[in-house]
Amino acid sequence: VAFLIWYVRASLRVFRDRSKDSPSRLFGRLGSAMVLILFLASVVEYPLRTPLLAVIFTIACCWLAQARRERSAA
C-alpha cells in the first residue's frame, strides 16, 4: 500500500510538471509508464517473479524517483 501511494504521488508530480522537459523528467515519465504496464500485467499473471522484469521494474522506479527528486530540488 505504501508503494502504491508513493507511485501515484510521484507519477502525478512528474506528469503535472510543465516546466522545461529535462532528460530526467522524460525518464521519470517513462519509468511511470513502465511501472503501470507491469502493474497491469500483474492482473493476469505475476511478471515480477522473473529476474529480468524485476530489474526493469527497479530501474523504472529509480527513474521515477530521480525525476521526483530533481523536481523537489528545483
Side-chain angles (χ1 to χ4, degrees), residues 7-71:
Y7 169 73
V8 169
R9 290 179 70 197
S11 294
L12 287 174
R13 287 183 181 170
V14 168
F15 280 102
R16 283 184 181 168
D17 189 12
R18 298 291 182 207
S19 63
K20 182 180 174 188
D21 286 333
S22 68
S24 177
R25 287 193 184 103
L26 294 176
F27 274 107
R29 292 175 183 164
L30 176 63
S32 176
M34 290 168 61
V35 169
L36 180 64
I37 289 169
L38 287 171
F39 276 151
L40 293 176
S42 295
V43 171
V44 292
E45 188 187 10
Y46 183 60
L48 295 179
R49 69 176 174 217
T50 63
L52 178 62
L53 288 179
V55 169
I56 291 172
F57 182 83
T58 303
I59 291 170
C61 289
C62 289
W63 287 344
L64 183 57
Q66 179 63 32
R68 184 175 180 230
R69 191 175 307 121
E70 180 182 293
R71 183 180 182 270

